[in-house]
Every structure is written in structure tokens, then in C-alpha cells.
Amino acid sequence: MDITLGRKAVLIIDDFQNMRAQLVQMLGSLGVERKPDVAASAEEALEHLRSRRYDIVLCDYNLGEGMHGQQILDLARREGWVDVATVFIMVTAENSTEMVMGALESGPDAYLAKPISKELLHARLLKALRRRMPMLPVARVLRQGDTGQALQLLDTMLSAGRGERADILRLKAELALDMGALDLVQEVCEIVIKERPVAWAITSLGQAAMERGELPRAETLFRQAIVVTPYFMAAYDHLAAVLELRGRSREAMEILEEAVGRSSRSLPRQRRLGWLAMQVREWDLARCAWRQVIELGKPTQTVRAEDFFNLVCALMEMGESAKAAQVLEDMRQSVTADPLVRWWSMLGRLRIAVVNHGDREAALDALDALMLKAIPPIDIHRQLIEVLESLGEVTRAELLRQQLPD
């Protein structure tokens, strides 16, 4: 297995030209023979990642406007551009707890604080390559969608003592979870835990328990994982999910509130927190969560019109109708590609009209015109009934209710 830098394909992502040039020079002096590709922005980085497979990615965390490094890594993994054989190292000049937790939660191979010495970069690269390069055959079969073959390769690696045993076992547990092979998940995780308690293995056991419907056991396991590693954020997310399933929404909300206090840059976590806060009528918390969802989702175009509407609702509950109207306008400009934006915009306008009576008649006329053109999805249909009742439009609400399917 080639653990030298020689012919490795490298991508450098940094918005400062001097830093890009410095890293290119360092890598050349360390023996990298192929000139690295460089990207000055998230958009350029994604173009490179879509076009070829890289052995090594060096990514600055803070790239100015648009996506930051954590979002690039999350998207690249989700789309398969960065796989189990790719070395991804996060680089940053920042050292705030929020930033460090955000970077580490994505699970890069290393986190390097600027300024970077050539010796430290070399050591981290070689260490990461020793972990990742043995995974190349596994990465190839996973790209083909053959999870069964990947598991066989991982077993062969374990038998031969090739690769990092902890990484192999963790990937084996993850693949088994994806396949629904719960007995295999339990077998692998118990092997790990017998050696020492590890948060990811305890959490995986909890996920398997959830899949089996063993909710009390799952809750216990997730709580154990948090005790073992208080900064293992996946355990918080799964614990909140199991608490919801057990009908304990306020506890679930409090768990996620604690989680975002530790690591705030996860869009799914903020979105779930927003929903839970609305359910228990904690409007200030809901407002903060939905603002974070919108801020995090805009650069990656993963924000939805519904997210804006939920922020409108939270603001209206707090008596901030002027700010709610601004959010509604932001929705219209920001999520033009969302096919449901006109419906969520209509709902938001009607919600504001409950207190802003000056727009009431115009909003109702706009609703009538929209209903002549299209039929709203069921969830929006139901919310239209609720807001019309709040407006005192009993007849309109009843007509909509009659249109609901049995």
C-alpha cells in the first residue's frame, strides 16, 4: 500500500491566495509530484469535487460568503465525492469553541490551526493516509452500491490485520445499520465495548434497539454514550428522537437545546429543535432555532419555504409582526426554486393578517385566486383551515375542510 505523497491527487480549498500558494509550495517540498488543484470558494471546490476523485482535501473552515468547510464536507460525503478512502483535513485560523465543535462534528481526519508548519502538515497527512489508503478497495465497491461485498472486504482486512481496526469495526457497524442487519450491529459493537466503552459503539447499539422498538433500552444507551463522551453529538440527536417517540417532547427539546449549546452548526438539529420548541410553545427558542436553520441552509440551498413560515409563526407569537413580514419577503426572494413557496407564502401572509387587518381582504382575495389555480398539499390544506378560523372566516374554512380526503 502506497503511503507516500508522491502521485496523490490533492485539492486545496482556501479563500486566501497566499495560503493556497503556501500550501502548494509545502506539498511540493514534501514530495507531492502532481500539482494540487486549488479553489478559492465553496462553489469552485464543489466543481472540482464533482469532476474527479481526490486522495487528499485540505479545506479552510471559514471561506467567507457561502458554505463553510463543515458544510462542504457534509455535502461531499452525502454526494459520494469524499468517501472512506479520502483524507479530508480541516484548516482554520479560528479557535472558538463553536467553530472547533462544528469542524470536529463532521469528522475530518485532522483539524489544523493556522499557522501550519510543514512538519506538522507532513505528520498529519501520513497518519491520515495510513488510515485511509487501506480502505480503497472498500470505497470502490461501495461506489458500486455493493454493501455485502464491502462487509466481506472489511472482514478480510480484520483477519489480515490490515488497516486501522477501530475504523474497520466502526464502518462495519455503520454499514450493518444501513442494511438493517441488527444482529451484526450488536456483535460488532459488543466486541468494541468489551475492550473499552466507546461513544459511537454505544450509540450504534442504541440505534439498533430503536429499530427493534426497544425504546427504554435505547434511551439508556444514548445517555450512556453522552456520559462516556459529552461531545459526541449524534448521541444527543438520537436521544431526542427516542424521547419524542416516548411522548416526552419537552425533554427532547431540552436535550437538543443542550446539544446546540455545544455544537450549533447542524441544520437538521436546529430544525428539529425549532419543531419541538413550537410544540411546547417556547417561542423565543423556536425563533432562534429557525433563524439558525435559515442561516445554515441558505449557502447550501437546503433551506425550505416551510422553514421561513415557521419563523414567521414564532415571530407572530412574540408579537413581532413587522419582523415576520420581513421574513416573508426574504422567503420569496430566497427559495424561488421551492415548488411550495407560493403556498407557504400565502399561509404566512394570512398568519400576519390575523393581527394586521389592513391586508386581510387582499390576502383572502389572493388565496381565492390561488385556490382556483392549484390544490394545496394536505399539510398546507389543514393549516389553511386553521388560519382561516383564526381570521374568523368560518365559511371558507368549512369549504376547505369539505375538500379534504376522507
Side-chain angles (χ1 to χ4, degrees):
M1 186 67 64
D2 179 16
I3 309 297
T4 62
L5 294 175
R7 299 293 296 168
K8 298 294 184 289
V10 181
L11 173 63
I12 297 169
I13 308 167
D14 199 294
D15 54 336
F16 285 100
Q17 193 277 332
N18 287 346
M19 190 64 196
R20 296 195 300 274
Q22 181 183 344
L23 286 170
V24 168
Q25 184 178 26
M26 273 190 191
L27 290 168
S29 68
L30 292 173
V32 174
E33 299 171 11
R34 299 163 64 175
K35 185 175 180 181
D37 289 334
V38 295
S41 66
E43 290 74 18
E44 284 185 48
L46 295 179
E47 288 179 12
H48 283 296
L49 288 165
R50 290 184 184 111
S51 64
R52 66 179 298 189
R53 185 192 173 277
Y54 290 94
D55 301 300
I56 298 168
V57 179
L58 300 175
C59 182
D60 188 28
Y61 185 84
N62 190 344
L63 295 168
E65 295 295 324
M67 284 187 278
H68 52 64
Q70 178 184 347
Q71 292 170 318
I72 291 174
L73 177 53
D74 290 342
L75 178 60
R77 282 204 177 121
R78 191 163 61 246
E79 299 296 328
W81 309 324
V82 167
D83 57 33
V84 296
T86 309
V87 170
F88 194 106
I89 294 181
M90 201 79 75
V91 181
T92 183
E94 297 183 51
N95 59 7
S96 67
T97 301
E98 178 185 30
M99 187 286 307
V100 172
M101 279 306 305
L104 292 180
E105 187 175 353
S106 293
D109 292 280
Y111 160 72
L112 293 177
K114 298 176 183 178
I116 303 168
S117 71
K118 182 174 73 172
E119 292 74 20
L120 179 60
L121 176 62
H122 193 209
R124 293 293 176 84
L125 284 173
L126 291 182
K127 181 179 180 181
L129 283 169
R130 278 192 288 271
R131 289 181 59 199
R132 294 296 177 186
M133 293 305 291
M135 290 288 190
L136 268 171
V138 180
R140 291 191 189 103
V141 297
L142 284 176
R143 285 197 292 271
Q144 297 165 5
D146 193 342
T147 305
Q149 178 65 20
L151 286 169
Q152 290 179 24
L153 287 171
L154 291 172
D155 284 336
T156 300
M157 292 171 67
L158 285 171
S159 299
R162 189 169 67 253
E164 291 288 330
R165 185 168 181 273
D167 291 343
I168 295 168
L169 289 169
R170 184 168 185 172
L171 180 56
K172 188 174 177 180
E174 290 173 357
L175 295 177
L177 266 174
D178 290 342
M179 293 176 66
L182 303 184
D183 289 342
L184 179 57
V185 175
Q186 185 162 333
E187 176 189 328
V188 172
C189 293
E190 286 178 350
I191 289 171
V192 174
I193 293 168
K194 279 181 183 177
E195 297 175 4
R196 67 182 179 92
V198 179
W200 71 257
I202 300 170
T203 300
S204 296
L205 280 179
Q207 290 175 264
M210 277 187 73
E211 290 293 325
R212 291 189 172 107
E214 301 169 357
L215 300 187
R217 181 168 183 265
E219 179 183 343
T220 298
L221 287 164
F222 295 141
R223 291 189 186 278
Q224 287 177 1
I226 291 170
V227 170
V228 169
T229 306
Y231 285 93
F232 188 69
M233 304 314 300
Y236 292 85
D237 296 330
H238 292 303
L239 175 57
V242 81
L243 288 171
E244 272 196 86
L245 289 172
R246 302 192 74 185
R248 292 150 61 187
S249 294
R250 180 168 288 276
E251 286 182 64
M253 180 199 74
E254 290 168 354
I255 288 294
L256 289 184
E257 188 177 7
E258 181 182 354
V260 300
R262 294 180 182 273
S263 182
S264 65
R265 300 191 183 188
S266 165
L267 187 150
R269 184 175 304 129
Q270 291 283 5
R271 186 175 273 145
R272 197 66 231 155
L273 177 59
W275 275 113
L276 288 167
M278 291 175 73
Q279 286 178 29
V280 300
R281 303 185 67 79
E282 292 286 350
W283 298 111
D284 187 40
L285 181 58
R287 175 183 60 177
C288 292
W290 290 117
R291 284 198 187 282
Q292 281 291 304
V293 169
I294 291 167
E295 180 182 335
L296 292 166
K298 277 185 177 180
T300 55
Q301 297 181 341
T302 51
V303 68
R304 309 166 186 162
E306 184 178 3
D307 298 327
F308 287 89
F309 172 73
N310 289 325
L311 178 55
V312 167
C313 291
L315 289 167
M316 292 303 297
E317 291 290 342
M318 298 184 71
E320 299 180 3
S321 57
K323 289 182 180 179
Q326 292 173 3
V327 170
L328 204 58
E329 183 57 33
D330 189 13
M331 176 209 293
R332 297 185 185 111
Q333 296 178 10
S334 300
V335 287
T336 54
D338 189 329
L340 298 179
V341 65
R342 57 181 177 173
W343 288 111
W344 291 114
S345 178
M346 187 72 257
L347 266 173
R349 185 176 177 184
L350 290 168
R351 183 70 180 79
I352 293 171
V354 173
V355 297
N356 183 7
H357 302 299
D359 189 46
R360 174 192 172 98
E361 294 307 318
L364 290 170
D365 288 344
L367 173 62
D368 291 340
L370 184 55
M371 292 293 295
L372 289 172
K373 297 177 183 177
I375 299 173
I378 293 296
D379 58 338
I380 293 177
H381 199 127
R382 296 185 190 281
Q383 293 198 57
L384 283 171
I385 293 171
E386 291 178 13
V387 75
L388 286 170
E389 288 174 341
S390 298
L391 284 163
E393 291 292 323
V394 179
T395 302
R396 275 190 172 92
E398 183 57 32
L399 286 171
L400 280 180
R401 187 174 284 107
Q402 291 174 9
Q403 295 172 16
L404 286 171
D406 296 333

